[in-house]
Amino acid sequence: MPSQRINWHRSLTALFILLCFVCISTHIVAANRINSHEPQVNIVNPPTWIEIQTYRVADFVDLRSPTHYHLVDKQISGFLNNTQTNNTADRAPANKQVYSRFVYSLTDPSGIESNANIHIRFNPVYEILNVHGIKVLRAGKVVNQLKRSDIDVINAEDRQGSNIYSGEVEAVVLLKDVRVGDVVDYSYTVVGSNPVFADKFSAGATIGWGISVDKINVSVLMPSDRPVQYKLFRSDGQISEQVKGDTTLYQLTLLNTPEIYAEDNLPAWYNPYPHIQFSEYQSWQEVANWANKLFAVDKTPSAELTEFIAGLKAKPLKDAIDEAINFSQNQIRYLGLELGENSHRPHTPAETFSNRQGDCKDKSLLLSVLLNQLGVTANPALVSTVNHSHVSDYLPSHGVFDHAIVAIEFAGTQYWIDPTITHQGAKLTSKFQADYGVALVVSPETSDLVSAQPSTNNHSSIAIAENLIAADYSSAVEWQITTNMTGREADNLRYRLKSEGQVKIAKSYLNYYAKRFPKIEALDELTINDNIADNQVTIIEHYLVADFWLLNQRQHAEFELQADFSSQYVQLPQSIKREQPLAIYPNITIDHRITLRLPEHVDFNLAADSKLFADPYISFDSTISYDRRLLVFHNTYQAKSHYVKVVDIAQHLALLNDISKRMKYYNSITNVSNDPGIPEMQTLLKNLNKRRLGRAVNAGE
């Protein structure tokens, strides 16, 4: 089967945002939600609780191109009961408020293209946007005056392709008459917070970007009787604490921060940009208490759900468990809509079952209830699809989780099942389980994070067996390829088969091979055998390759074998001289064997050729052997980790270079002759093949 590059690495963004749930609630159309929560945008003075930050603009010749940032300021007021502001639009005096200010010079036309349009995102369901000013300064004088009519509010649904509707909008201001040398200075405050967090404070801020900044200021103002923890990442800055009456100010100011370069192929959990986290939670026990209240919805089954549960109970227990999981995965459509509290609070299992749709927490709660009804211990569990086990690096907070799965205990084994994944194996014991590292199980007994590393079914494999049969050195070679996939790879192929169809897949495979062998023809239809019970998918391909041999002027038959499916996993990154870890596609084994049956014995003078390339992160075993007309080229790759430590990268990349040289085997057979009857034989075989395929199509009708 053709090798396919797997794009699994996280796309890094310049701004760090503490994770919130991407598993979002359903049952309301986005347009209706926006209409029912009209965005409120005001032009008002800055709040009085902030401290105005100063900045300096150097001479133009000393400014960086294309944009020079003078000030990035973020100040947060966390539920201050005595906050006094000039903003009549404040929804409540105790609401969370986030003040932001950006000041930068446009020093090149490209800087104008990328920074003359201002976008401010907020959620109108529970937030108000107060704009304090958007100024353009030229030679020290303000050359524009912001009016409310200058602010347009547009829909910000940028995850519709994943069936996720965030409910967020963007306030957009398109600056006019902006010129090179102008200074842009704008500030705003977002007032409000999602009520689902029960006024528990958690926030984060980026303190380093892909550009240098003259001055970065981050502060949090909290009631003194609500202490806040904080933690810096990739920064040696110092946070000051200052008590002001019954409030405490936590502040960090950095000057002349360096440009941060994000290397490619980073592990998902690795954020190269310096950032800071604040959290009012003092322990994971407190986060667990919040989660338990979050999932404390009415679990009483409806009449329809009761009937479904009765049907499950009538089956053998193992069959009932399998059916409950498969129903949650494949019969409940994944659809998310973030709306107020339901961004994190699940719908009732009765609603999810009735509507046949839900997000990760809806599906996880429904599956837990179904299994509980069968007498099986099962609970929703909060995990991070980005940070995995590195969740424990962060302070306790609701903001570090972005996904919900189900923790199941059955027959002495712990399973971690993701109900949002479709087309998995049919049985609990054969389903692939992703390794999320750690989890917070939603249970009254939970007091800390627990390991969520699966004890079984966490490894995937692809085994490819190619058999080439050559009648001579001129005629077409028969080529049969059998590919067996397990685990996550079987899931992915099964999904692709259902979404694209077998005919399209067969054509894509044939065209892939045709890049190497333009005269290739299919001898049989592509066959796919799906053993869904054991979660194994087998593909069988059968081709006739007329241009396998290359006869040179000396009548030598040249050929090349490519056991290179694992090449996609060992490609060199763009950044070779690295200061950041290198990601590895984890938990997979690739076994690629090619057997060429020659028409006669050939003395290749081939001694035993077996090489092992290995380090703590991967292993690659390559063997070339010959016996009784059979030439075998066999490569096996295995990933042993999910990333390479920086200290070992240079040696690891040298290993990848050595491995790349073992992906192909080239040789030639001397003193062969070209039979003039071969072209006629090739034409005959081609016509017979067309007739056979025609009969197969007619039989299928």
Side-chain angles (χ1 to χ4, degrees):
M1 63 173 296
S3 169
Q4 298 177 11
R5 180 62 179 168
I6 300 174
N7 184 13
W8 60 282
H9 300 296
R10 178 179 62 146
S11 297
L12 292 169
T13 59
L15 295 178
F16 172 78
I17 303 173
L18 284 178
L19 299 174
C20 59
F21 274 82
V22 296
C23 314
I24 323 185
S25 258
T26 68
H27 316 304
I28 303 175
V29 179
N32 293 338
R33 175 182 48 72
I34 292 177
N35 291 335
S36 61
H37 297 276
E38 189 66 29
Q40 188 171 345
V41 179
N42 310 289
I43 298 179
V44 297
N45 293 326
T48 57
W49 56 266
I50 69 165
E51 294 184 356
I52 299 297
Q53 299 295 307
T54 60
Y55 66 92
R56 174 182 172 273
V57 179
D59 294 337
F60 184 81
V61 294
D62 297 324
L63 299 180
R64 293 180 291 272
S65 179
T67 305
H68 185 111
Y69 271 82
H70 306 291
L71 174 66
V72 175
D73 185 17
K74 184 174 185 178
Q75 302 183 42
I76 305 171
S77 166
F79 309 105
L80 297 179
N81 292 318
N82 60 346
T83 299
Q84 302 295 321
T85 72
N86 297 324
N87 300 336
T88 58
D90 284 357
R91 188 170 294 176
N95 243 325
K96 178 181 176 181
Q97 301 184 41
V98 181
Y99 167 87
S100 301
R101 185 184 179 197
F102 300 88
V103 183
Y104 51 86
S105 290
L106 302 171
T107 58
D108 185 84
S110 62
I112 295 177
E113 290 291 331
S114 57
N115 292 283
N117 301 330
I118 295 171
H119 298 258
I120 304 171
R121 182 169 291 204
F122 67 104
N123 195 316
V125 177
Y126 49 81
E127 292 176 332
I128 293 172
L129 174 61
N130 292 331
V131 181
H132 311 308
I134 301 178
K135 298 184 294 185
V136 176
L137 297 94
R138 189 172 301 147
K141 296 182 179 180
V142 178
V143 296
N144 74 324
Q145 185 67 41
L146 178 67
K147 302 183 294 294
R148 177 61 182 86
S149 58
D150 296 330
I151 304 175
D152 294 317
V153 179
I154 63 174
N155 190 300
E157 303 288 5
D158 51 9
R159 292 183 293 173
Q160 296 183 51
S162 300
N163 273 353
I164 296 175
Y165 297 88
S166 68
E168 294 180 321
V169 297
E170 277 189 345
V172 181
V173 177
L174 308 180
L175 298 178
K176 301 176 182 178
D177 187 27
V178 182
R179 307 175 188 179
V180 171
D182 287 350
V183 177
V184 177
D185 182 347
Y186 71 94
S187 61
Y188 60 90
T189 298
V190 176
V191 180
S193 62
N194 194 329
V196 77
F197 299 134
D199 289 349
K200 205 72 171 178
F201 182 79
S202 176
T206 302
I207 52 176
W209 290 271
I211 56 174
S212 300
V213 180
D214 292 347
K215 181 179 181 181
I216 296 175
N217 181 72
V218 177
S219 67
V220 169
L221 188 64
M222 288 288 292
S224 295
D225 60 356
R226 298 177 63 173
V228 169
Q229 298 189 80
Y230 50 81
K231 188 173 183 179
L232 284 162
F233 299 83
R234 313 200 194 288
S235 172
D236 56 2
Q238 298 296 317
I239 298 176
S240 64
E241 297 184 32
Q242 182 180 359
V243 177
K244 296 184 175 182
D246 57 358
T247 65
T248 300
L249 178 68
Y250 306 84
Q251 187 169 20
L252 171 69
T253 301
L254 301 174
L255 302 177
N256 302 314
T257 61
E259 175 182 349
I260 305 300
Y261 176 72
E263 297 172 351
D264 64 313
N265 287 20
L266 294 174
W269 53 265
Y270 184 86
N271 183 354
Y273 301 103
H275 50 280
I276 185 172
Q277 180 195 9
F278 298 93
S279 179
E280 190 179 4
Y281 291 97
Q282 301 301 308
S283 67
W284 289 111
Q285 173 73 71
E286 292 186 11
V287 183
N289 294 340
W290 165 80
N292 284 317
K293 294 177 182 178
L294 188 72
F295 279 77
V297 300
D298 184 7
K299 300 179 179 64
T300 305
S302 62
E304 184 184 16
L305 181 53
T306 299
E307 182 180 356
F308 180 77
I309 293 171
L312 293 177
K313 291 181 176 180
K315 300 176 181 292
L317 181 56
K318 289 184 178 180
D319 294 344
I321 293 173
D322 294 337
E323 184 170 336
I325 296 173
N326 293 329
F327 176 85
S328 301
Q329 289 182 322
N330 299 314
Q331 302 304 317
I332 303 295
R333 178 171 69 113
Y334 182 85
L335 178 66
L337 178 67
E338 192 171 63
L339 177 61
E341 291 194 5
N342 280 342
S343 63
H344 290 64
R345 190 185 305 282
H347 287 86
T348 68
E351 288 180 278
T352 303
F353 182 85
S354 175
N355 293 313
R356 293 295 198 275
Q357 62 186 28
D359 60 14
C360 64
K361 60 189 180 297
D362 296 326
K363 288 162 73 81
S364 294
L365 181 58
L366 173 61
L367 176 56
S368 298
V369 168
L370 292 177
L371 295 176
N372 294 159
Q373 289 287 330
L374 297 173
V376 177
T377 301
N379 299 92
L382 307 184
V383 296
S384 172
T385 61
V386 174
N387 290 316
H388 294 206
S389 61
H390 291 270
V391 163
S392 56
D393 295 343
Y394 289 89
L395 298 172
S397 169
H398 55 249
V400 297
F401 302 109
D402 68 348
H403 192 45
I405 60 175
V406 180
I408 302 172
E409 294 180 25
F410 180 68
T413 301
Q414 179 81 57
Y415 298 91
W416 301 91
I417 298 300
D418 189 337
T420 69
I421 301 177
T422 60
H423 302 90
Q424 285 205 296
K427 295 182 178 297
L428 170 64
T429 53
S430 66
K431 287 184 182 291
F432 175 80
Q433 302 173 66
D435 183 2
Y436 290 111
V438 296
L440 189 74
V441 178
V442 182
S443 168
E445 288 76 35
T446 296
S447 60
D448 204 347
L449 299 171
V450 297
S451 172
Q453 185 174 13
S455 60
T456 181
N457 296 341
N458 180 238
H459 196 84
S460 303
S461 67
I462 301 176
I464 304 167
E466 300 184 28
N467 288 291
L468 295 140
I469 301 175
D472 51 46
Y473 304 112
S474 300
S475 60
V477 169
E478 183 181 357
W479 187 17
Q480 182 169 325
I481 308 170
T482 301
T483 304
N484 183 266
M485 296 186 174
T486 68
R488 173 179 49 209
E489 305 307 316
D491 295 346
N492 293 339
L493 180 62
R494 193 177 292 114
Y495 176 82
R496 186 182 176 196
L497 177 63
K498 296 298 184 181
S499 60
E500 296 182 20
Q502 187 165 322
V503 173
K504 186 175 180 179
I505 291 176
K507 288 183 177 179
S508 69
Y509 283 16
L510 181 61
N511 282 296
Y512 176 85
Y513 299 131
K515 294 177 182 178
R516 180 181 171 197
F517 302 118
K519 297 180 181 179
I520 189 172
E521 297 285 345
L523 276 176
D524 292 301
E525 291 184 338
L526 180 141
T527 301
I528 299 180
N529 300 319
D530 188 0
N531 179 356
I532 196 168
D534 296 328
N535 198 23
Q536 296 185 15
V537 180
T538 301
I539 306 173
I540 300 175
E541 307 166 67
H542 199 187
Y543 304 100
L544 195 65
V545 184
D547 41 1
F548 176 81
W549 302 104
L550 176 62
L551 293 177
N552 60 30
Q553 294 180 346
R554 295 179 297 170
Q555 293 300 301
H556 293 179
E558 301 175 353
F559 68 96
E560 183 181 68
L561 307 179
Q562 297 184 3
D564 62 347
F565 192 90
S566 58
S567 63
Q568 59 185 306
Y569 302 95
V570 295
Q571 292 183 2
L572 293 176
Q574 294 181 358
S575 298
I576 302 298
K577 306 293 290 185
R578 299 180 71 92
E579 298 178 353
Q580 298 163 6
L582 176 68
I584 295 176
Y585 190 80
N587 302 325
I588 192 166
T589 297
I590 308 295
D591 188 274
H592 195 165
R593 178 191 294 267
I594 303 176
T595 301
L596 172 61
R597 180 182 292 273
L598 295 166
E600 60 182 344
H601 171 68
V602 178
D603 185 7
F604 284 110
N605 193 25
L606 185 65
D609 185 358
S610 180
K611 293 187 177 181
L612 175 64
F613 307 87
D615 63 11
Y617 309 102
I618 65 171
S619 67
F620 184 84
D621 189 3
S622 181
T623 302
I624 303 171
S625 61
Y626 177 74
D627 183 42
R628 299 178 183 179
R629 296 168 51 198
L630 297 180
L631 179 64
V632 179
F633 183 25
H634 186 193
N635 286 337
T636 303
Y637 166 85
Q638 183 173 4
K640 299 188 288 186
S641 179
H642 63 278
Y643 78 100
V644 180
K645 295 179 180 178
V646 174
V647 68
D648 296 327
I649 286 180
Q651 186 174 355
H652 180 77
L653 296 184
L655 184 72
L656 297 187
N657 267 321
D658 291 338
I659 291 174
S660 67
K661 300 172 185 177
R662 295 285 294 194
M663 293 294 173
K664 299 178 181 180
Y665 173 77
Y666 168 83
N667 211 327
S668 63
I669 300 171
T670 61
N671 301 320
V672 300
S673 60
N674 191 358
D675 189 334
I678 291 300
E680 289 80 0
M681 179 62 69
Q682 291 176 343
T683 301
L684 176 61
L685 288 174
K686 184 175 181 180
N687 291 333
L688 290 174
N689 180 42
K690 287 183 177 180
R691 291 180 183 179
R692 177 163 54 176
L693 289 179
R695 287 195 298 269
V697 171
N698 293 332
E701 296 177 349

